[in-house]
Amino acid sequence: MEGTIIRKVGLMMMSIILMLAACGTMNEDSIQIYNDTDEDIEEAKQVFENDDRLRKAVVVLHDDELLAGVTVGTFERFRKTKIEKDLKEKLEKAYPEVEVLVSADNKVVIETKKMTKIKDQQQLKKEIKKIKSLSEEQT
Amino acid sequence: MKKGLLTFASRPSIAATGVTAGPLEQQSPFAPLFDKVYDDERSGLLTNEKGHAKLVEDACMIALSKVDSKPGDVDFLLLGDLVNQMTPSNFTAANLEIPYLGLFAACATSVSSLIMAALLTEAGMSQCTLAGASSQHNSIERQFRYPVEYGSQKPDTAQWTVTAAGVAAVTPNKAGNPAITKATIGRVVDLGMTEPLNMGAAMAPAAADTLQRHLDGHGTKITDYDVIMTGDLAKTGFELYKTLVEKAGMDTTTNFRDAGVEFYGNDSNFQAGASGAGCSSTVYFTDIYSKMMEGEYKRVLLIATGALLSPLSYQQKETIPCIAHAIELTMK
Amino acid sequence: MVSMFVTAFIVGGLICVIGQLLFDVAKLTPAHTLCTLVVAGSILDGLGLYEPLIDFAGAGATVPITSFGNSLTHGAMAEAEKHGFIGVLTGMFEVTSSGISAAILFGFIAAIIFKSKGKV
Amino acid sequence: MDEKKYATLEKKISPKPQIARNMFTAFVTGGTICLIGQGISLFYTTFFDFTERTSSNPTVATMIFIAMLLTGFGQYKKIAQFGGAGAAVPITGFSNAVVSAAIEHKSEGYVLGVGGNMFKLAGSVILFGVFSAFLVALVKTILVKFGVVSW
């Protein structure tokens, strides 16, 4: 009787793992960019689009700060820190004078999504600073 | 080896027995025969050890009430248990104020105290002696293994210590009561077992050795006895014990029983079965005693087994030395 | 989001399977097994392998006891990076303070509230 | 019957631990506990200011609290009997070790009993954790000083 349970569960596990890996890659509506500066956002969209490790991206561009919250594919999460570094370099090359912060953390994605709806400038600045301090925190 | 053998010409009798047990023991097949059962491990007191002492004291009082005598009439009190320095037995002796001899043979104390009582009666020094042993699950678990609430996975060879006390009143020969005729003092046997969660395997050789010495020394055979019951070997130990006895050329299929195997019935919650001085003493003083009084058993051989380790000896990587004392009861 | 739950379940389960193998095959006592896993956790972090596992599995890697060893080492190394050798000592409980303090605090509160029973 | 012969006889007769079954139950129990942990950490990231990384601290504290309640009401030893390492390896097992020792030795008073025995089971985990962390961090710092490895 033992053997059958183990085989059944093994099968179930394998199917779940396959399902995880096969999630969709980037497409048009999975990138949200909120930009209230005169910077050209086309290049940022390019950076996120052709990086197939990402699944979703939310970007806020506000005077000299760019805040990007990305969600990576399941098995890419092993190299989350490396992905963050790559994107940061690319974006800094694209927008040299802008201060870039890229984070693959869930919290940042949630907060940036909320921020895209905030209208007044003051509130937006405060939020960006809060997110910056959050992501540096160790404990 | 003819040493350590005792024969009691005056055939001292077990006049009465008193057995008290804890809440979990109510699901034991022997539960109807228990004299008193508590619905709380500590029998309503503050600490486990206090509950343990009350358990023993009540058993003594019940045994005395059955021979309608009072603590003042008792010559000797022979008790033992597994708690450090046997404090529950000591506190019971303090309350009963009977001349007291503390005996330690781990779970074999039930038989070793009977043997000592028979010796005192045989020597004509005692009209009534109380002999018994007891154990309590919580106080033994926390001392020998882990705190009670700690979640460790017990293997299938683990045994559950019984919360019970069994005391017998031993008097000079009385017709109609089981008489103590022969006994064998066990030798400490240590075949290199180290796992405290498999004590049955450690105790089995001691039981086989004592059985062999009893049969050779007293010139009796397996078939002379209606039942040969070991103390608390439990499933694993009982199998090993029977294998050892069969290797010595004796048939173990008919009259071999074990208190540890039968105490909790076949409940897998208790892994291999029961253990503790309470287990052997209660089964001997209820099931065996009543069956002898009703005439079902004429002659029985009781071999209580005990593991003589301590938490310290285990941590110092010592092996587990074990002992088994045997006593023969006959109805005439 | 759902994938985090599945990976946590699988990685957490696998670490516990390793612990169970230490129980049954290596015949270690629970205390020995936990110590082995804690040491393994801190060695893995020394090699930089445990942080990616936490990124991948989330609670699946932070709940097992290996994360205790990992966060001790991580705190020590982070501080050592800034202050050199003395940082190894000062940074030790930097990251994992909540585990120990919660255990001590709740242990004592439990001792006040509860009384142990022997039922099966 | 000498020791070696008896040892082989004992090995033959004593029931072996069912390794396959135990591995499966440990996997399921450990997985479920980590699943609950993931749920709690998600709760902290959405409603409080914790990132994924920093939410592990409050999650661990909450899991320890839950394990305290389960131990106090005598349920944890049933989970552990079923799950084995699945209940001992997660942080709830560590909390169960501390809480059960504290409850058990309450009868000896708070200072000598609870205070003296609380870390009877879990103390070795902290000791070896700190010692191994110290060694690993020391070795790494030395290697970095020699430029063999970078941070």
Side-chain angles (χ1 to χ4, degrees), chain B residues 292-304:
Chain B
M292 291 190 83
M293 294 293 272
E294 290 145 10
E296 189 181 334
Y297 289 152
K298 287 280 176 295
R299 191 175 179 190
V300 296
L301 178 60
L302 307 177
I303 307 175

Side-chain angles (χ1 to χ4, degrees), chain A residues 12-116:
Chain A
M12 193 248 293
M13 281 305 155
M14 284 320 294
S15 53
I16 288 176
I17 290 171
L18 285 174
M19 184 269 287
L20 290 180
C23 280
T25 54
M26 292 294 277
N27 48 38
E28 188 39 47
D29 62 2
S30 64
I31 304 175
Q32 281 176 316
I33 297 186
Y34 167 81
N35 168 24
D36 63 3
T37 67
D38 47 16
E39 292 293 341
D40 162 18
I41 56 162
E42 199 41 48
E43 236 179 284
K45 199 192 287 294
Q46 232 33 37
V47 164
F48 290 113
E49 214 146 66
N50 51 35
D51 185 333
D52 56 12
R53 292 174 298 185
L54 308 181
R55 202 167 321 136
K56 228 177 20 214
V58 184
V59 183
V60 166
L61 197 55
H62 172 62
D63 55 48
D64 62 350
E65 280 168 317
L66 182 145
L67 181 61
V70 288
T71 309
V72 290
T74 309
F75 287 99
E76 273 71 30
R77 273 215 295 272
F78 276 113
R79 292 174 298 285
K80 211 159 76 165
T81 37
K82 206 160 72 56
I83 294 173
E84 283 168 356
K85 245 194 242 69
D86 291 355
L87 290 174
K88 193 171 165 55
E89 272 144 31
K90 282 187 194 142
L91 287 171
E92 260 152 10
K93 219 168 25 329
Y95 304 93
E97 76 298 346
V98 166
E99 201 195 317
V100 173
L101 172 72
V102 177
S103 165
D105 201 292
N106 247 331
K107 179 71 177 171
V108 175
V109 172
I110 298 166
E111 291 302 322
T112 15
K113 202 170 285 173
K114 269 192 233 150
M115 278 195 321
T116 49

